[in-house]
Amino acid sequence: MEFNSTLELLQSDPKSKAYFDSLPQHIQQELLDRYTGAKSLDELRSFGDDLRTSM
């Protein structure tokens, strides 16, 4: 299932929310600030991995 935004994904998909909650606070904030278009857990993980390696 695809969602329209990162916030919608986090509100509607428990697995995505659990992944997001496992990330450090600064990574969570960057995801919300810069990657607002995650439409699936796979995209969210990809964005999160990119942030982890760049910080």
Side-chain angles (χ1 to χ4, degrees):
M1 175 176 245
E2 284 196 359
F3 297 89
N4 293 321
S5 69
T6 300
L7 285 177
E8 184 181 315
L9 175 66
L10 294 174
Q11 292 170 347
S12 302
D13 182 38
K15 288 182 182 180
S16 294
K17 179 70 167 121
Y19 169 74
F20 181 82
D21 289 344
S22 74
L23 297 170
Q25 180 66 35
H26 68 280
I27 300 287
Q28 290 179 8
Q29 192 59 53
E30 285 293 318
L31 281 170
L32 292 175
D33 290 345
R34 294 175 46 192
Y35 296 99
T36 59
K39 297 179 192 291
S40 67
L41 176 55
D42 287 338
E43 280 189 4
L44 187 66
R45 282 189 176 147
S46 177
F47 295 155
D49 290 346
D50 286 347
L51 286 170
R52 282 182 172 193
T53 58
S54 69
M55 294 185 142

